[in-house]
Amino acid sequence: MNPRKVMIVDDDLEFLEELNDTLVSSGYEVVIESDPERVAKRVEATRPEVVVLDLNMPRMSGFRVADELARTPGGAGVKIVAMTGHYTEKEHFRLMRHLGIRVLVKPFTPLDVIAKIEDFA
Amino acid sequence: MPDMSKLFSPAVQPSRTASPAPTGDAVACDRCAAAADPRRCAPLGASLATARLADLGKLAARVIHDMRNPLTVIRFALGNLRRAVDLSGSPPAERAANNIEKKVVECEALLASLLAYAKMRRPRRRRFVFRRLVDDCVRDAHARHPAVVFERIRPSGPAPAIVADRQQIKEVVDNLIDNACEAYGSSPGRVRIACRPAGRLIVLTVRDEGAGIDPAIREKLFEPFQSSKPGGTGLGLAICRDIVESHAGRVTLKSRRGHGTTVTVTLPFERGRP
């Protein structure tokens, strides 16, 4: 079954707005969060199937968010799509694949995001 | 699950790999920083200049990554704008939207080239048959440049193997072939590609019969941001030069107005010191 509820996590508010509009217009129910420290609680409260997560955020990186989600009862089964322009070494990809994280490397298009989310179907 | 935040510490961030700093007097040189080429400062002592260049490379990589974020927002915002408003009824608005999109794509391509230059990695050397790599490059170039006729010149005898980074050397050969093809613009033309062994070296030449290169910029073509092509980033030949020199090789260019251009790459068969 295709994922329908998606949470976007990014500290860039304009990007949150635009990706939110893109995904809503494609039929997804979207939750947005700009504070990485609140993600685990929001995931427990809203139960998205997929979290589209920026890896490079201040205070708390996307990796720490993913780590925290894995330790949270409501977050353990959530699928993660990581957005990154920084972590593009082979070792990074290998580890993320091992952890079941799908990766979107910048620059990407709206269709790329949707394709990654649908990968989890 | 392991603590991923430690595994992805800034220490493993990719960055441009600087050449080993030579020993000698360290003298700061503004010309070197401006030209981004420590070799020009070798007589003054290049260790500080090399370290400074490595820092600039890291800084550039960071800025390039950061520039991609606003470009991504612009791209998404444009898509949303197109969905929200029917631009087809207003040719000026449609043209403006198309131009924004085109320029975003150009900026992303420029950033990708800059990043490739800033992040130049050390060669990962393996043994491979150089002639087969050139054959692959020519085959790929057929698809990119259908109007160009490619002439492969092969010497008789066994095809020698070299020890080099195949991916990097392919980037060089692809780039030289693309440059030769682009010398004809959109017109048909002929590109000759030859490789031959010469003692302990292998010599590749890529020749076009296009308009040739203006002597005023010929000398600077291997420096970053120098281009003879409209819209060129001026990084292609700089990247080629860095790759070839990191393999202890040499790249030279000869050109005559109205007669075309020949680029020659010389590489050692075995691993050499740059």
Side-chain angles (χ1 to χ4, degrees):
Chain A
M1 192 176 149
N2 292 353
R4 300 273 34 117
K5 191 166 186 179
V6 177
M7 176 183 281
I8 316 165
V9 182
D10 200 309
D11 60 307
D12 184 325
L13 296 180
E14 290 80 17
F15 180 70
L16 273 184
E17 284 175 0
E18 298 302 337
L19 183 54
N20 173 68
D21 286 3
T22 301
L23 294 182
V24 167
S25 71
S26 299
Y28 294 97
E29 186 183 342
V30 181
V31 181
I32 59 174
E33 181 55 63
S34 61
D35 182 352
E37 291 173 349
R38 285 169 41 90
V39 173
K41 278 187 182 167
R42 289 292 306 279
V43 164
E44 280 210 82
T46 59
R47 300 282 171 167
E49 293 151 271
V50 177
V51 174
V52 181
L53 176 66
D54 185 24
L55 292 182
N56 192 34
M57 291 184 288
R59 297 201 318 279
M60 188 171 179
S61 78
F63 293 107
R64 280 187 56 203
V65 173
D67 194 28
E68 194 174 282
L69 276 180
R71 297 164 200 271
T72 306
V78 174
K79 309 285 192 295
I80 295 174
V81 175
M83 301 179 286
T84 185
H86 290 267
Y87 300 100
T88 53
E89 298 291 297
K90 263 186 189 168
E91 293 73 18
H92 298 152
F93 290 123
R94 199 173 297 136
L95 181 62
M96 285 194 270
R97 202 163 45 238
H98 176 71
L99 297 169
I101 297 175
R102 305 286 166 99
V103 190
L104 264 173
V105 177
K106 294 174 186 174
F108 50 75
T109 66
L111 282 179
D112 295 331
V113 181
I114 292 166
K116 282 288 174 199
I117 294 170
E118 297 297 316
D119 265 359
F120 287 120
Chain B
M1 182 182 275
D3 181 353
M4 290 180 284
S5 59
K6 284 179 186 165
L7 289 167
F8 289 85
S9 71
V12 294
Q13 290 274 343
S15 65
R16 183 181 174 84
T17 307
S19 306
T23 55
D25 298 334
V27 180
C29 175
D30 289 334
R31 186 185 68 161
C32 171
D37 188 349
R39 281 162 289 213
R40 293 177 61 179
C41 290
L44 297 175
S47 58
L48 185 57
T50 305
R52 203 166 158 190
L53 184 61
D55 285 344
L56 281 172
K58 285 178 192 169
L59 178 67
R62 177 78 207 191
V63 171
I64 292 160
H65 283 307
D66 288 349
M67 282 298 294
R68 279 179 165 164
N69 292 335
L71 284 174
T72 304
V73 175
I74 293 169
R75 186 192 275 278
F76 277 67
L78 190 59
N80 291 332
L81 183 68
R82 281 200 158 115
R83 256 191 306 278
V85 183
D86 181 13
L87 299 178
S88 62
S90 168
E94 179 70 30
R95 190 182 61 237
N98 287 342
N99 284 340
I100 292 170
E101 188 162 29
K102 193 174 162 195
K103 292 302 159 188
V104 167
V105 170
E106 282 179 17
C107 284
E108 284 171 347
L110 173 62
L111 292 178
S113 294
L114 282 169
L115 194 60
Y117 185 69
K119 280 174 60 180
M120 189 79 70
R121 58 174 170 75
R122 289 180 195 282
R124 292 170 188 150
R125 291 178 167 85
R126 290 202 172 86
R127 186 175 296 276
F128 62 90
V129 177
F130 187 74
R131 194 188 295 175
R132 279 193 210 132
L133 175 134
V134 176
D135 288 341
D136 287 350
C137 293
V138 172
R139 194 193 55 229
D140 295 347
H142 272 297
R144 291 196 302 275
H145 307 283
V148 174
V149 173
F150 294 96
E151 188 180 323
R152 277 284 279 120
I153 300 165
R154 294 186 183 86
S156 54
I162 69 168
V163 178
D165 187 314
R166 194 180 190 283
Q167 189 184 336
Q168 287 188 344
I169 300 298
K170 185 170 191 307
E171 193 178 337
V172 171
V173 180
D174 283 340
N175 199 299
L176 298 183
I177 293 176
D178 284 346
N179 284 348
C181 294
E182 285 160 12
Y184 297 106
S186 53
S187 309
R190 183 173 60 170
V191 170
R192 286 182 182 159
I193 300 136
C195 59
R196 61 181 170 83
R200 297 162 65 90
L201 305 171
I202 193 144
V203 181
L204 169 79
T205 55
V206 179
R207 182 178 169 196
D208 68 73
E209 293 157 353
I213 296 166
D214 184 345
I217 61 166
R218 203 181 294 157
E219 297 300 313
K220 296 180 177 175
L221 269 180
F222 290 101
E223 293 177 15
F225 311 113
Q226 300 290 335
S227 179
S228 61
K229 294 180 288 188
T233 61
L235 287 168
L237 282 178
I239 291 172
C240 287
R241 181 201 61 184
D242 275 14
I243 290 174
V244 170
E245 290 185 355
S246 71
H247 285 80
R250 233 182 130 215
V251 55
T252 56
L253 181 146
K254 283 183 184 168
S255 187
R256 268 181 71 198
R257 293 307 293 270
H259 289 83
T261 303
T262 302
V263 181
T264 303
V265 172
T266 311
L267 289 166
F269 283 127
E270 297 294 333
R271 180 178 182 145
R273 288 187 181 282

